[in-house]
Amino acid sequence: MTLKWMHTSSCAVTRSLGVLGETWTILIIREALTGTTRFADFRDALGLAADVLSRRLNTLVDYGVMSKDAYQEPGSRTRFEYRLTDAGRELEIVVGALQQWGDKHLPYAAGPTIERRAGRTGRPVHVAFIDDLGYEVPHADVETIQTDVYPAE
Amino acid sequence: MTLKWMHTSSCAVTRSLGVLGETWTILIIREALTGTTRFADFRDALGLAADVLSRRLNTLVDYGVMSKDAYQEPGSRTRFEYRLTDAGRELEIVVGALQQWGDKHLPYAAGPTIERRAGRTGRPVHVAFIDDLGYEVPHADVETIQTDVYPAE
DNA sequence: CAGGCTGAGTTTGAAACTGAGACTTAGATC
DNA sequence: GATCTAAGTCTCAGTTTCAAACTCAGCCTG
């Protein structure tokens, strides 16, 4: 899966997963959010096969999540850097939600290895549901309403 | 991938994806959040192969995201229902974040097919970063700080 | 300028996973 | 006893991943 039909689904979750749902993709984005831009750095940090990394980066570029630009360091030939676009940077909330859930429900490591703070105030931030007035809504009080049937094909 | 090493990673995102990162899993959870509990209903709604659904549901039960309980309707034999645990229900924020991102960056369908509201006030809710005082922090102001190196294996 | 180094891939072949349909199982119903 | 249904399991062909080897282009060294 993770193919054609997902990109044209009427369900936004399905469309997102059509772009992000392949193995490694979200880890690549997590890595990019910490500043990684080069092919070899992604490969070394994640330990995935180069062919898979190549395909994933190209898919992300195709869907506007990352950009691929040539750059040249003095004394080196032209290379490429992969950077998150604005759309890609907005995935931080998805990565943050996954991290928060893992920290709470899959406890294992000594502690969190990624932290998030507001740049201006330096205060720690977390991911939450808020209503249109800006008040946090406890997840137990959030109701999901399906407004249309999702077609199987 | 999506195997052993992910479950023991020091990165919470990786551990989460070890449970949720296989194909179909998040769609199964989206479906469960709308109230689906039966094997055949998941299969019909998602259109996935029965063997994959069986494996995914069992994985989710194994990791405490869903429970599998016998129930009996009058005039029928015992069957099983799969329900989200508290941990599973907290994935609503992950699904919500994916939906929001898809709605914004992968526009396609006539409109959203899932909506979320606060049960008590009925107000529409969305997913956001908030700081420890409860104020929303715009995603552009959120900084990611990696506090430990993620080991490749 | 021959040879080596490095980043960024591509190629290759074995292993693992997925999809679709056939088959199984256990009660309920005819 | 034969049939129906939900919930799976089995089988096998096709796809995807993994790991290692290989390619390619420019830079650097002797």
Side-chain angles (χ1 to χ4, degrees), chain B residues 76-89:
Chain B
S76 274
R77 73 182 172 107
T78 302
R79 306 206 184 283
F80 294 98
E81 59 185 4
Y82 297 87
R83 290 184 182 282
L84 292 167
T85 62
D86 287 343
R89 242 167 277 121

PDB file of all heavy atoms in Angstrom, chain B residues 76-89:
ATOM      1  N   SER B  76     -26.755 -15.171  18.720  1.00  0.00           N
ATOM      2  CA  SER B  76     -25.521 -15.348  17.964  1.00  0.00           C
ATOM      3  C   SER B  76     -24.479 -15.997  18.846  1.00  0.00           C
ATOM      4  O   SER B  76     -24.579 -15.949  20.073  1.00  0.00           O
ATOM      5  CB  SER B  76     -24.987 -13.998  17.473  1.00  0.00           C
ATOM      6  OG  SER B  76     -25.571 -13.641  16.256  1.00  0.00           O
ATOM      7  N   ARG B  77     -23.500 -16.545  18.241  1.00  0.00           N
ATOM      8  CA  ARG B  77     -22.443 -17.122  19.056  1.00  0.00           C
ATOM      9  C   ARG B  77     -21.506 -16.009  19.535  1.00  0.00           C
ATOM     10  O   ARG B  77     -21.609 -14.858  19.110  1.00  0.00           O
ATOM     11  CB  ARG B  77     -21.674 -18.169  18.257  1.00  0.00           C
ATOM     12  CG  ARG B  77     -20.781 -17.594  17.198  1.00  0.00           C
ATOM     13  CD  ARG B  77     -20.129 -18.739  16.451  1.00  0.00           C
ATOM     14  NE  ARG B  77     -19.405 -18.231  15.303  1.00  0.00           N
ATOM     15  CZ  ARG B  77     -18.076 -18.174  15.253  1.00  0.00           C
ATOM     16  NH1 ARG B  77     -17.359 -18.550  16.280  1.00  0.00           N
ATOM     17  NH2 ARG B  77     -17.490 -17.734  14.175  1.00  0.00           N
ATOM     18  N   THR B  78     -20.595 -16.400  20.393  1.00  0.00           N
ATOM     19  CA  THR B  78     -19.623 -15.450  20.924  1.00  0.00           C
ATOM     20  C   THR B  78     -18.752 -14.894  19.808  1.00  0.00           C
ATOM     21  O   THR B  78     -18.298 -15.629  18.944  1.00  0.00           O
ATOM     22  CB  THR B  78     -18.729 -16.173  21.946  1.00  0.00           C
ATOM     23  OG1 THR B  78     -19.571 -16.703  22.970  1.00  0.00           O
ATOM     24  CG2 THR B  78     -17.732 -15.224  22.565  1.00  0.00           C
ATOM     25  N   ARG B  79     -18.571 -13.592  19.832  1.00  0.00           N
ATOM     26  CA  ARG B  79     -17.656 -12.973  18.873  1.00  0.00           C
ATOM     27  C   ARG B  79     -16.704 -12.064  19.648  1.00  0.00           C
ATOM     28  O   ARG B  79     -16.793 -11.945  20.867  1.00  0.00           O
ATOM     29  CB  ARG B  79     -18.436 -12.166  17.838  1.00  0.00           C
ATOM     30  CG  ARG B  79     -19.499 -12.960  17.137  1.00  0.00           C
ATOM     31  CD  ARG B  79     -19.802 -12.424  15.775  1.00  0.00           C
ATOM     32  NE  ARG B  79     -20.910 -13.164  15.175  1.00  0.00           N
ATOM     33  CZ  ARG B  79     -20.794 -14.374  14.647  1.00  0.00           C
ATOM     34  NH1 ARG B  79     -19.636 -14.996  14.651  1.00  0.00           N
ATOM     35  NH2 ARG B  79     -21.832 -14.962  14.112  1.00  0.00           N
ATOM     36  N   PHE B  80     -15.815 -11.433  18.899  1.00  0.00           N
ATOM     37  CA  PHE B  80     -14.862 -10.553  19.552  1.00  0.00           C
ATOM     38  C   PHE B  80     -15.064  -9.113  19.109  1.00  0.00           C
ATOM     39  O   PHE B  80     -15.444  -8.861  17.972  1.00  0.00           O
ATOM     40  CB  PHE B  80     -13.425 -10.990  19.253  1.00  0.00           C
ATOM     41  CG  PHE B  80     -13.103 -12.319  19.852  1.00  0.00           C
ATOM     42  CD1 PHE B  80     -13.159 -13.473  19.089  1.00  0.00           C
ATOM     43  CD2 PHE B  80     -12.783 -12.406  21.195  1.00  0.00           C
ATOM     44  CE1 PHE B  80     -12.880 -14.709  19.656  1.00  0.00           C
ATOM     45  CE2 PHE B  80     -12.496 -13.635  21.764  1.00  0.00           C
ATOM     46  CZ  PHE B  80     -12.553 -14.788  20.993  1.00  0.00           C
ATOM     47  N   GLU B  81     -14.796  -8.249  20.034  1.00  0.00           N
ATOM     48  CA  GLU B  81     -14.791  -6.846  19.650  1.00  0.00           C
ATOM     49  C   GLU B  81     -13.450  -6.252  20.059  1.00  0.00           C
ATOM     50  O   GLU B  81     -12.862  -6.591  21.074  1.00  0.00           O
ATOM     51  CB  GLU B  81     -15.951  -6.082  20.290  1.00  0.00           C
ATOM     52  CG  GLU B  81     -15.960  -6.121  21.784  1.00  0.00           C
ATOM     53  CD  GLU B  81     -17.201  -5.452  22.343  1.00  0.00           C
ATOM     54  OE1 GLU B  81     -18.066  -5.036  21.548  1.00  0.00           O
ATOM     55  OE2 GLU B  81     -17.290  -5.346  23.581  1.00  0.00           O
ATOM     56  N   TYR B  82     -12.985  -5.385  19.210  1.00  0.00           N
ATOM     57  CA  TYR B  82     -11.706  -4.711  19.427  1.00  0.00           C
ATOM     58  C   TYR B  82     -12.009  -3.272  19.787  1.00  0.00           C
ATOM     59  O   TYR B  82     -12.629  -2.551  19.011  1.00  0.00           O
ATOM     60  CB  TYR B  82     -10.856  -4.760  18.163  1.00  0.00           C
ATOM     61  CG  TYR B  82     -10.492  -6.170  17.756  1.00  0.00           C
ATOM     62  CD1 TYR B  82     -11.338  -6.925  16.956  1.00  0.00           C
ATOM     63  CD2 TYR B  82      -9.309  -6.743  18.218  1.00  0.00           C
ATOM     64  CE1 TYR B  82     -11.009  -8.220  16.595  1.00  0.00           C
ATOM     65  CE2 TYR B  82      -8.969  -8.033  17.862  1.00  0.00           C
ATOM     66  CZ  TYR B  82      -9.830  -8.768  17.055  1.00  0.00           C
ATOM     67  OH  TYR B  82      -9.498 -10.060  16.708  1.00  0.00           O
ATOM     68  N   ARG B  83     -11.575  -2.859  20.978  1.00  0.00           N
ATOM     69  CA  ARG B  83     -11.816  -1.488  21.415  1.00  0.00           C
ATOM     70  C   ARG B  83     -10.497  -0.829  21.782  1.00  0.00           C
ATOM     71  O   ARG B  83      -9.592  -1.483  22.294  1.00  0.00           O
ATOM     72  CB  ARG B  83     -12.711  -1.470  22.660  1.00  0.00           C
ATOM     73  CG  ARG B  83     -14.114  -1.884  22.393  1.00  0.00           C
ATOM     74  CD  ARG B  83     -14.989  -1.767  23.633  1.00  0.00           C
ATOM     75  NE  ARG B  83     -16.324  -2.239  23.297  1.00  0.00           N
ATOM     76  CZ  ARG B  83     -17.207  -1.512  22.614  1.00  0.00           C
ATOM     77  NH1 ARG B  83     -16.891  -0.276  22.245  1.00  0.00           N
ATOM     78  NH2 ARG B  83     -18.398  -2.005  22.319  1.00  0.00           N
ATOM     79  N   LEU B  84     -10.447   0.452  21.565  1.00  0.00           N
ATOM     80  CA  LEU B  84      -9.260   1.195  21.980  1.00  0.00           C
ATOM     81  C   LEU B  84      -9.185   1.228  23.499  1.00  0.00           C
ATOM     82  O   LEU B  84     -10.188   1.389  24.183  1.00  0.00           O
ATOM     83  CB  LEU B  84      -9.334   2.624  21.437  1.00  0.00           C
ATOM     84  CG  LEU B  84      -9.217   2.738  19.915  1.00  0.00           C
ATOM     85  CD1 LEU B  84      -9.624   4.119  19.462  1.00  0.00           C
ATOM     86  CD2 LEU B  84      -7.801   2.418  19.451  1.00  0.00           C
ATOM     87  N   THR B  85      -7.990   1.049  24.008  1.00  0.00           N
ATOM     88  CA  THR B  85      -7.757   1.275  25.429  1.00  0.00           C
ATOM     89  C   THR B  85      -7.617   2.783  25.655  1.00  0.00           C
ATOM     90  O   THR B  85      -7.691   3.580  24.716  1.00  0.00           O
ATOM     91  CB  THR B  85      -6.446   0.609  25.861  1.00  0.00           C
ATOM     92  OG1 THR B  85      -5.381   1.213  25.123  1.00  0.00           O
ATOM     93  CG2 THR B  85      -6.462  -0.877  25.591  1.00  0.00           C
ATOM     94  N   ASP B  86      -7.391   3.180  26.903  1.00  0.00           N
ATOM     95  CA  ASP B  86      -7.138   4.602  27.156  1.00  0.00           C
ATOM     96  C   ASP B  86      -5.941   5.078  26.339  1.00  0.00           C
ATOM     97  O   ASP B  86      -5.969   6.151  25.740  1.00  0.00           O
ATOM     98  CB  ASP B  86      -6.868   4.837  28.649  1.00  0.00           C
ATOM     99  CG  ASP B  86      -8.155   4.722  29.458  1.00  0.00           C
ATOM    100  OD1 ASP B  86      -9.242   4.794  28.849  1.00  0.00           O
ATOM    101  OD2 ASP B  86      -8.069   4.574  30.684  1.00  0.00           O
ATOM    102  N   ALA B  87      -4.896   4.250  26.320  1.00  0.00           N
ATOM    103  CA  ALA B  87      -3.703   4.613  25.531  1.00  0.00           C
ATOM    104  C   ALA B  87      -4.078   4.785  24.067  1.00  0.00           C
ATOM    105  O   ALA B  87      -3.649   5.731  23.401  1.00  0.00           O
ATOM    106  CB  ALA B  87      -2.622   3.548  25.692  1.00  0.00           C
ATOM    107  N   GLY B  88      -4.887   3.897  23.555  1.00  0.00           N
ATOM    108  CA  GLY B  88      -5.287   3.981  22.165  1.00  0.00           C
ATOM    109  C   GLY B  88      -6.114   5.215  21.879  1.00  0.00           C
ATOM    110  O   GLY B  88      -5.943   5.881  20.853  1.00  0.00           O
ATOM    111  N   ARG B  89      -7.004   5.548  22.798  1.00  0.00           N
ATOM    112  CA  ARG B  89      -7.846   6.722  22.582  1.00  0.00           C
ATOM    113  C   ARG B  89      -7.006   7.997  22.558  1.00  0.00           C
ATOM    114  O   ARG B  89      -7.365   8.974  21.907  1.00  0.00           O
ATOM    115  CB  ARG B  89      -8.921   6.796  23.669  1.00  0.00           C
ATOM    116  CG  ARG B  89     -10.327   6.699  23.072  1.00  0.00           C
ATOM    117  CD  ARG B  89     -11.374   6.463  24.133  1.00  0.00           C
ATOM    118  NE  ARG B  89     -11.452   5.053  24.475  1.00  0.00           N
ATOM    119  CZ  ARG B  89     -11.262   4.542  25.692  1.00  0.00           C
ATOM    120  NH1 ARG B  89     -11.003   5.344  26.710  1.00  0.00           N
ATOM    121  NH2 ARG B  89     -11.347   3.248  25.887  1.00  0.00           N
TER     122      ARG B  89
END
